[in-house]
Amino acid sequence: MVPTAAAAASLPPPPMKSTAPAFPGAFPEPPAAFAAGGQARTAGGYAMDTSGMPGAAMPGQQQQNAGQDAYSAQFLKDVETFNSPAHFVRCSVSRPPNSLSAKQRLNIPLGVVLQPLAPLPPDIEPVPSVNFGVVGTIVRCKQCRTYVNPFVQWEANGRRWNCNLCGFSQLTPDPYYASLDESGKRMDRFQRAELHKGAVEYIAPGEYMVRPPQPPVFMFVIDVSYTSVVTGLLQTVVTSIKEAIESGKIPGGQRVQVGIITFDQSLHFYNLNSNLSQPQMLVVSDLEDLFLPLPDDILVPLAESESAVLNLLDSLPSMFGETKVNESCLGSAVRGAFMAMKHIGGKLLVFGACIPSVGELPLKSTRDNPRLLGTDREVELLRPGNEGYAELGKELTPAQISVELFLAPQAYMDLASICPLAKYTGGDVHYYPQFNINTCFEKFKAELVHVLTRYMGWEAVMRIRVSRGWKITKFDGHLFIRGQDLLVVPNCHSDQTFAIQVDMEENVTPDPVLYVQSALLYTNSEGERRIRVHTWAAMTTPNFNDMIGSIDVQASAVMMCHQAMEQSLKSNQTDGRNKLNSFCQQVVQAGNMCPQSDALQFLPLYIMGMLKSAAFRATNDISSDLRTYVWMRLETLSVSQSAAFFNPRLMALHNAPNSCRMPNEHGWIELPEMLNLTSESMTQDGVYLLEDGESMYMWIGRAVDPSFLQAVFGTGSFEQMDVLAAESMVGTRGDPLSEKLANIIRQVRAERPTPFLQLQILRQGDPKEARFFAALIEDRTVGMQSTYTEFLQRMGYRSPQQQAPPQSGMPAASGMMAPPPMNRAY
C-alpha cells in the first residue's frame, strides 16, 4: 500500500471551531449544513509531512516529466481522469508554481473560471446525482467542510480519511465504510460517483434548507412609454413572452408563478386572478409613496391563470397604442416589483426603452459627454453616476430576487448607473441600441425565450474552497459576496460563469497539489434542493517549462481581461491597456526562451485581440453605454465565448466544400476551414462569414460570381442586392448552394446558442463593412494601427533562428503568425 501523507501525523488534530464570519442581520441565515467551516485556505491545523505527496520537491530531485516518480505519474493520470471536466472548470495553468519565486517567473494570472451549470457538450454523460440518505448525511470534512471527492486519502483500511484541502484526519462514518485495495484506494470507488467523478450533484437533505423550496417565479416589468410602443419593443416583448409560455418549455410545470407590471410615468399593476373575466388594471401614480394596490393576485400560478396572462399580453399593445407619455419610472417599477415578490423571490425581468426620468432613482441624459470617449476621462462615464441602483440591487439579493435587464433605447440610457442592478443580483444585461422591430425582432425574441427556458436554479449560494497555502484574492462575475466568501446568486443558470483569482499565502509553503472545490447549493425548478460540486486538482511544479506547457491560453486570456477591466475602472483605460501590454511583453519574453511552446505563441494574439476590441480600444466610436454593456458581458461570458470575442472565426463560403452541405453521423455540419484574421485571406470575388460570439457578418466581394448571388439571394446583380431582404433569403431558395450556406449558419448558431447571432450582410464598399474589418485583428485596424507582426516586434519578439524581429509580412519561424483553430485546447 502506498503510504498516505497524513499517516505521518502521529495523532489527528482536535476539531476546530468555525471561523466563518457572522452574516449581516438583513440576510436570512444560510442552511447550517452549508456553513463555511474552518478556513481551508490557511495554514491552520497541524504540521503535516508532505514529503511523500505527489509533486513534492525532494532533495536533488528534478521535477521533470521524464524523471517523475511512479506516484507522481499515477497522480497526474488521476487528475486527468477525476478532475471536473473543462466545460465546468478551467484554470489558467494546470501545473501551477510551487513557490513564490516560481510564480514570479511565470507572470501569468493564476485563476480558475467556473461555469457550474454549464450545458453538456454532445455525447457527454450527465452529471451524476448522489443520494446520501442511507449514510444519514453528506460526508464532508469536519474542519473545512470540503465535500468528499476522488482526491481524499484513506487510511486504517478505510476507517479514516484525510481531507485533501486542509489535511484533517477523521473517522469514516460507519454506513460509508469500505475496505481498501492494495494501492490504498477504496474497493467501491467506481460504484460511488463522488469518489471517481470531479463533477457530482448531491441531493440535499433537510438540513440544507431554511424554508420550503422556492417555486420558479417570473415577474415581467414592461416599459409602455411612447418610445417602447413606436419602436415595436412592447409588441416584441409580449410576442416573445407568449411564445415561451405556449411552448410549454418554461421549467417548473405546475409550480411556475408569473406577474406583469407595466410602467411609463406611473406604475400599472394587474390582478391576474383566474376567476376574473378579464385582468384588472390598478394604476399607482404617486411614486413618492409607493404601495401595493392589492395584496394578492399580482403573482399567480401560471397553470391556473395562463389564459388571463395571455389575454393581458395580447391587449397591452392596443391599450397603450395611442400613448404620448415618454417618461420612464424604471427605478420605481423595480421597487414595486420588489414589494410584490419579496415574500417569495424569483426572476425580475425589466424591459426598458428610455432613460429613467421620473420616480425613484431618476437619471440625467446630460451626463453623457461624447467628447470624453477615447480619452483617459472616459472612465468617468463608465462609473455609476447614481449609486442608488447598486444599493437597490443589494436590497433585492437577500429576498432571493435576480434582475435581468433588457434595454432597447434610441439614445443614451446611462447603463453604467443601471447595470449594477443586474450585477449584484446575479442577473445579465441584454442591450439593443437603436431597437427596431423590423431588424431586431428575431434576436430579441430568441434571447428572451432562451432566458425563460434554459436550465436554472433558485435561491442559490456558492462557496469555493482552495487548499492549504493558497488563497482566493478576488471573485469575478455577477454575484453578491456575503461575509467573506459566501457568494449569493438568487437565480443561477446554465450560462452563468464566475472566476476566482488565486495567490499563495505569505510565509506558508503551499501543498504540493492545488485543489479547488466549488459547491453551489440551489433549488431546481422541480423543487428539489441540490448541491452541484466541482473538484479540480493540479500538481504544482518548480519547473518553468512544465508551467509554460500547461497554460490554458483561453482561460489565461479571460483572467487577463478581468484584471484589465478592473484596472480600467479603478484608474483609467490607459492603465488597463498598459496592464495588457505588460502581460504580453512578459509572455513574449517567456516565448523567446521557450520557442516550442504553443501556448506562448497563441496568447499574444488573444491579447492583441483584446486591445483592438470594443472592450479596450482607445477610439471615440464606442459609446459609453456600449462599452459598459461589453464589460458587463465579459464579466459573465464562458471561456469559449470570451475567446471568440477577442479572436473571431473567419471562413470562406464561396468555395466551402460539399461536406458542409449534409450533417455527419452526429448531426453536425462540418464548417469550412478557419482563415487567418487578415484581409490577405480574402479576395474580391469571395464571400466570407465572420462571427465573434456576439455578431455574425457575411461580407460579399464586388467581383463575386453572379450565379452565387442568384442561387443564394435570388438576384444576379451585386449592385441591386437589398442587404436587409437578403438576410431572410439565405436558405430559402431550394438551391444546393443556398442549403449549404444555411446549414453552415445553422451550425455556427448551434455552437453559440446564446446570444442569438443575427446575420448581417455587408457588401464590399458599404459603410458598415468597417465593423467586419475591425475584427480582422492581424491587420491594422481602427483599434490599433499595428499588424500582428508589428505588434509582436513591439512586444520584444525575437526569431529563434535570427534573434531579430522577422520582416513585416513574413511568418515567424515558430509559427506565431497563425491564429489558433477554435477546436484547439487554447
Side-chain angles (χ1 to χ4, degrees), residues 730-794:
V730 178
T732 64
R733 299 282 301 160
D735 187 274
L737 180 58
S738 175
E739 181 184 343
K740 179 165 63 176
L741 263 62
N743 280 338
I744 291 172
I745 292 168
R746 198 174 295 119
Q747 177 65 32
V748 171
R749 284 176 174 158
E751 294 177 12
R752 308 254 191 248
T754 181
F756 179 80
L757 296 180
Q758 184 164 357
L759 178 63
Q760 300 181 51
I761 294 180
L762 309 169
R763 293 182 305 177
Q764 184 180 0
D766 286 351
K768 290 185 177 180
E769 73 173 350
R771 302 178 189 175
F772 183 95
F773 287 102
L776 301 184
I777 59 174
E778 295 184 55
D779 291 340
R780 295 186 180 94
T781 67
V782 64
M784 182 195 297
Q785 292 297 313
S786 296
T787 65
Y788 186 34
T789 305
E790 294 163 347
F791 177 72
L792 288 174
Q793 291 172 352
R794 200 169 75 244

Side-chain angles (χ1 to χ4, degrees), residues 404-477:
E404 198 88 1
L405 293 172
F406 289 81
L407 305 177
Q410 301 300 302
Y412 175 72
M413 198 170 178
D414 195 359
L415 263 67
S417 295
I418 299 172
C419 286
L421 194 56
K423 178 181 174 71
Y424 291 117
T425 61
D428 288 318
V429 180
H430 309 263
Y431 181 52
Y432 310 89
Q434 303 299 314
F435 179 89
N436 184 287
I437 190 171
N438 297 320
T439 56
C440 304
F441 176 79
E442 287 297 331
K443 178 176 175 64
F444 189 102
K445 183 186 73 170
E447 293 175 7
L448 176 52
V449 170
H450 175 76
V451 165
L452 294 174
T453 58
R454 65 192 168 190
Y455 184 81
M456 63 188 92
W458 309 84
E459 51 186 351
V461 290
M462 182 165 72
R463 271 205 166 91
I464 304 173
R465 298 173 171 88
V466 293
S467 48
R468 292 183 306 176
W470 294 87
K471 61 183 178 181
I472 299 172
T473 58
K474 191 167 188 301
F475 299 96
D476 294 310

